């Protein structure tokens, strides 16, 4: 089964090594293949180096494409991660 | 003597001996191994052995940095990259098919990954680049059997100079002996910048090539205010900076002692200083700095970090904040967000600052707004909490927000959930129309909060983030003082309290005339409170009123600022 969902990078520092590490670790539990797609590039979401060299700064839209019997669960977990993970070291933007 | 300019990342002066951290750059030559199975096997084994010891080393660093999750997860990332099958596969492929030596294979593979980031030439990319270089360096070191890098181990305090600090270096540095940082590369969000800010160490980054121009042992000065590095300063410069540094220390200790003294002018006119915070964990910092509560809690951060900020989540956060406040006041501003942050779907607005944002957006996302009001009301049963609505431009908006608040109150009453029935309601005065009709609005609310940043932006039609017009952002513009004067007078006549919560309140030159206009409540970043308190304790209300009168007579921002700067100098 193939599942496609879209997420936004919400971290001030972009999809850098810290969130990438969490993503790769989180996906190891699943057997499906997961790719992150941005514009014309894509990468294996289970590989930290591939995620960080995909280069996705704050505000980028990324497509999650998962293939396999547990694709629904994997995408759900990933979408939740993109929504809920707060990158603590990141500096919040100030508005008055 | 030589002075270099960079980007200041943390203010302060550091004077001391330089310690230049040289990261040994490995020069890897393109070398081949004999094209025979035994040689290939040896090379592969060398690589496997190297990654295993690199992985062990990283696991040990992970362990030793476990107290700081932010840092230890970076090393975990490095370990995952090294363990990554795709890298191993690429390296093995080059050994087997191109007959590269293991070190050249590693260099070559990493070069390809780095190249992708290098062309991007921006701060995010350079951050990730430094992670990749760190990994490559570690692998090569294990392949070539090198020792871990020198890190200043002596007890002597030093100013650390480097081309760039890798995450591993920053994590392992004995930061207690580091007086300052001067770094060739990086930007405001680089590893060094973050370490400097959290540890409060003066730092300048993006200095070009200071690490090659300075020798270990040279005397250097890091000026974290101006963003400069002075190499081998002459006697005059050295004594000038020693003096500044001395004054700084004296001031800091003195101001720190003031923390718990009352905030009042020389003639006993008492002023309330509260803190602006973005996150409830800052409450403790605010109290430590002597804040009399929180004057502006920007709840947007909750929304951004919990995009499904249910009532329970918020209630828990507000409850925590009020308990940390130990009886002080907490003013909660409802979500002040642009559509991009609040909906998922991005409205392509031509003019986002004049678009559907803040309270306007809350009226569209009624479920989100009501959930926030419920959480605020429930927390109001536990302590002194006020609610404040942002971006008010008309009476209708105030009435609508109040009507929704009343509905939510009725709902809670029906459910027998306790809340403060008389919770005070305030509005932000940040749109000129609200300042102009504040007499109409005053009848509906308990307090006003002047958000100077947006008030200036909307009054002068200047986006200060736009570099081409940023110079037109003028807090001293007569229009701003006149609007403020009007709000203060109307508020006084209607017994409505007024607070100033923009950046102007923590700028000494504007603070004096604002006190003169009759303002008695200010809210600012926690770190500014001790210094502002010190200033307030140096002038009289009578003098401040005189300053306000003279500023109101100024015809331009420049004239006002010139006069106000004289006043500030006279105060010191």
């Amino acid at each position: 089964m193939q599942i496609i969902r879209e997420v936004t990078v919400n971290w001030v520092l972009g999809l850098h090594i810290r969130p990438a590490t969490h993503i790769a670790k989180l996906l190891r539990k699943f057997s499906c293949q997961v790719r992150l797609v941005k514009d014309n590039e894509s990468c294996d979401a289970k590989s930290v180096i591939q995620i960080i060299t995909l280069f996705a700064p704050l505000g980028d839209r990324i497509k999650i494409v998962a293939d396999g019997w547990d694709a629904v669960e994997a995408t759900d977990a990933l979408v939740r991660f993109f929504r809920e993970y707060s990158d603590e070291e990141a500096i919040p933007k100030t508005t008055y | 003597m030589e002075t270099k300019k960079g980007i200041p990342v943390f203010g302060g002066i550091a004077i001391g001996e330089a310690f230049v951290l040289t990261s040994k750059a490995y020069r890897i030559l393109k070398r081949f191994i004999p094209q025979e199975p035994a040689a290939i096997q040896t090379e592969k084994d060398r690589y496997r052995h190297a990654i295993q010891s690199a992985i062990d080393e990283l696991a040990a660093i992970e362990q030793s940095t476990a107290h700081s999750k932010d840092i230890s997860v970076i090393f975990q990332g490095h370990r995952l990259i090294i363990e990554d099958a795709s890298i191993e596969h690429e390296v093995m492929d080059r050994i087997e098919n191109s007959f590269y030596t293991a070190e050249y294979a590693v260099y070559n593979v990493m070069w390809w990954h780095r190249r992708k980031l290098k062309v991007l030439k921006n701060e995010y990319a350079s951050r990730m680049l430094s992670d990749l270089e760190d990994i490559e360096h570690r692998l090569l070191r294990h392949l070539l059997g090198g020792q871990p890098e020198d890190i200043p181990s002596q007890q002597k305090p030093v100013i650390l100079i480097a081309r760039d600090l890798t995450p591993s270096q920053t994590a392992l540095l004995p930061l207690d002996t580091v007086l300052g940082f001067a770094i060739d590369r990086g930007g405001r969000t680089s590893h060094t910048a973050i370490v400097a800010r959290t540890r409060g160490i003066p730092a300048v980054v993006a200095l070009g090539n200071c690490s090659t121009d300075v020798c270990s042992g040279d005397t250097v000065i890091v000026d974290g205010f101006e963003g400069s590095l002075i190499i081998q300063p002459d006697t005059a410069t050295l004594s000038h900076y020693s003096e500044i540094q001395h004054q700084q220390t004296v001031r800091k200790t003195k101001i720190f002692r003031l923390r718990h003294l009352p905030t009042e002018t020389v003639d006993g006119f008492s002023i309330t200083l509260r803190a602006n915070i973005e996150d409830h964990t800052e409450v403790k910092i605010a109290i430590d700095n002597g804040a009399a509560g929180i004057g502006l809690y920007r709840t947007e951060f909750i929304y951004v970090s919990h995009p499904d900020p249910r009532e329970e989540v918020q209630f828990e956060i507000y409850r925590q904040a009020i308990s940390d406040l130990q009886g002080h006041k907490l003013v909660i501003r409802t979500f002040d967000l642009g559509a991009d942050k609040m909906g998922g779907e991005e409205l392509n607005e031509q003019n986002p600052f004049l678009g559907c944002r803040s309270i306007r957006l809350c009226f569209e996302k009624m479920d989100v707004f009501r959930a926030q009001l419920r959480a605020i009301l429930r927390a109001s049963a536990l302590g002194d909490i006020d609610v404040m609505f942002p971006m008010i431009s008309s009476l209708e908006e105030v009435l609508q927000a109040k009507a929704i608040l009343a509905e939510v109150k009725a709902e809670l009453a029906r459910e027998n959930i306790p809340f403060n029935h008389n919770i005070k309601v305030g509005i932000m005065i940040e749109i000129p129309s609200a300042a102009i009709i504040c007499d109409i609005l005053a009848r509906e609310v308990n307090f006003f909060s002047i958000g100077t940043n947006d008030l200036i932006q909307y009054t002068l039609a200047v986006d200060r983030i736009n570099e081409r017009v940023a110079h037109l952002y003028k807090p001293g513009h007569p229009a701003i003082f006149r609007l403020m004067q009007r709000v203060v007078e109307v508020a006084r006549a209607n017994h409505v309290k007024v607070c100033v919560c923009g950046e102007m309140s923590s700028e000494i030159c504007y603070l004096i005339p604002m006190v003169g206009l009759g303002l008695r409540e200010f809210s600012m970043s926690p770190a500014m409170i001790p210094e502002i308190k010190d200033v307030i304790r140096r002038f009289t209300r009578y003098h401040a009123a005189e300053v306000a009168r003279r500023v109101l007579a100024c015809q331009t921002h420049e004239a006002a600022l010139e006069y106000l700067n004289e006043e500030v100098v006279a105060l010191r």
Side-chain angles (χ1 to χ4, degrees), chain B residues 102-144:
Chain B
E103 48 270 29
Y104 188 71
V106 166
Y107 171 80
N108 187 271
V109 166
M110 296 305 281
W111 184 82
W112 277 99
H113 287 292
R114 280 200 334 245
R115 205 181 66 138
K116 277 182 80 176
L117 292 172
K118 243 185 186 145
V119 293
L120 293 161
K121 284 208 163 105
N122 67 29
E123 208 172 309
Y124 299 157
S126 80
R127 222 180 123 90
M128 290 187 283
L129 206 56
S130 82
D131 281 308
L132 290 189
E133 285 169 353
D134 202 7
I135 292 164
E136 178 181 347
H137 195 260
R138 188 180 309 278
L139 281 176
L140 290 174
R141 177 158 57 74
H142 284 279
L143 267 175
L144 299 167

Side-chain angles (χ1 to χ4, degrees), chain A residues 12-13 16-18 21-22 25 28 41 47-49 52-53 55 57 83-84 89 91-92 94-96, chain B residues 70 73 76-78 84 87 116 120 122 124 127-128 131 197 298 301 305 307 333 453-454 501 503:
Chain A
V12 178
L13 301 176
H16 69 114
I17 192 157
R18 200 165 28 233
T21 305
H22 287 299
K25 264 174 43 194
R28 291 194 171 183
E41 280 187 78
S47 158
V48 181
I49 189 153
I52 67 171
T53 50
F55 189 70
R83 245 188 317 173
E84 291 176 4
E89 189 191 69
I91 307 135
T94 306
T95 52
Y96 281 82
Chain B
D70 272 357
V73 71
Q76 198 175 27
H78 287 194
D84 198 321
I87 293 215
K116 277 182 80 176
L120 293 161
N122 67 29
Y124 299 157
R127 222 180 123 90
M128 290 187 283
D131 281 308
R197 269 196 295 268
R298 302 190 183 100
F301 199 62
S305 46
R333 181 178 70 184
N453 298 22
D454 276 344
C501 67
E503 265 167 35

Side-chain angles (χ1 to χ4, degrees), chain B residues 264-306:
Chain B
E264 55 186 29
T265 57
V266 174
D267 49 344
F269 181 65
S270 106
I271 305 277
T272 306
L273 298 184
R274 297 204 176 95
N276 295 346
I277 59 165
E278 310 224 1
D279 186 78
H280 67 287
T281 53
E282 291 174 89
V283 168
K284 286 187 179 132
I285 304 173
I287 298 297
D288 280 350
N289 278 292
I294 304 302
L296 171 63
Y297 182 1
R298 302 190 183 100
T299 53
E300 296 77 66
F301 199 62
I302 303 176
Y303 194 89
V304 179
S305 46
H306 304 261

